[in-house]
Amino acid sequence: MSHRRSSSLFFTAVTAATAALALAAPTASAAPIPLPHHLSAVGITGAGHHGSDGRPAPAGSGAEDAGLAGSYAAPLPQAPVDHLTVTVRDSGSARTDGTFELYCHPDRGSTHRKARSACAKLDGMTRWGRDPFAPVPQNAQCTMMYGGPATAHVTGTWAGRPVNADFRRTNGCEISRWSRFEPLLPATSS
């Protein structure tokens, strides 16, 4: 009977330890954000759309594997274009309120007033496994300060992932989040 009791205690201990580990394990809050690869003359290469210095790697710069030229029989796929539509309301300025298009990689066709600096800012914020557009966590403790009535809505594609983000300035956390996205979002006068 002592054998039966010890195996029952062992089973209970293993079950409790497994449950404790399951509760202590971190949970994934978001899927990894894959960075698009660089489209070069020899195909899609690299682990992102940037060279080692953080700037887009130009085609023919030596960043691609030169030994693979001509080995592709199928047409090269098009590299994803980072495109965002930014709608700003109640920012305190008629010239910054409205809907603006932002194109990066390549940056042709943007109607955003500060397209180059906005693309550079977003490039700097993009990290593998992190959503730069993630909202403020619901359980965040934020200062009770009001930053004004400005709101923004950003949709589109960034780093190959869909974006649908809302911004406001209703407390310290939201104001800080808005500020991290300047110049994509305008500096407000409120």
Side-chain angles (χ1 to χ4, degrees):
M1 182 122 180
S2 67
H3 179 270
R4 181 178 255 175
R5 176 181 277 180
S6 63
S7 56
S8 173
L9 289 174
F10 176 75
F11 177 75
T12 304
V14 169
T15 304
T18 303
L21 286 174
L23 292 174
T27 59
S29 62
I33 299 175
L35 294 175
H37 290 59
H38 172 68
L39 179 62
S40 67
V42 297
I44 298 180
T45 62
H49 57 268
H50 301 100
S52 60
D53 61 355
R55 294 183 301 185
S61 66
E64 59 271 2
D65 293 327
L68 298 176
S71 65
Y72 293 99
L76 297 176
Q78 293 296 315
V81 174
D82 294 323
H83 169 240
L84 298 173
T85 301
V86 181
T87 303
V88 179
R89 288 183 171 59
D90 302 320
S91 68
S93 170
R95 70 185 182 113
T96 58
D97 281 354
T99 299
F100 307 95
E101 301 293 328
L102 178 68
Y103 291 90
C104 304
H105 317 112
D107 62 354
R108 288 179 238 129
S110 294
T111 59
H112 191 282
R113 296 177 56 82
K114 298 181 178 181
R116 278 208 171 141
S117 56
C119 290
K121 179 68 172 189
L122 289 170
D123 284 341
M125 294 172 68
T126 304
R127 299 283 182 267
W128 179 262
R130 296 188 187 249
D131 180 4
F133 295 93
V136 172
Q138 288 184 352
N139 61 347
Q141 295 186 13
C142 306
T143 57
M144 298 298 293
M145 55 192 305
Y146 181 67
T151 61
H153 183 71
V154 180
T155 59
T157 303
W158 184 258
R161 297 291 304 261
V163 174
N164 186 7
D166 291 307
F167 295 83
R168 56 196 168 281
R169 300 175 56 83
T170 55
N171 60 45
C173 296
E174 296 287 353
I175 293 168
S176 176
R177 180 174 176 243
W178 182 292
S179 297
R180 281 194 311 272
F181 279 88
E182 291 175 8
L184 174 67
L185 303 179
T188 63
S189 60
S190 51

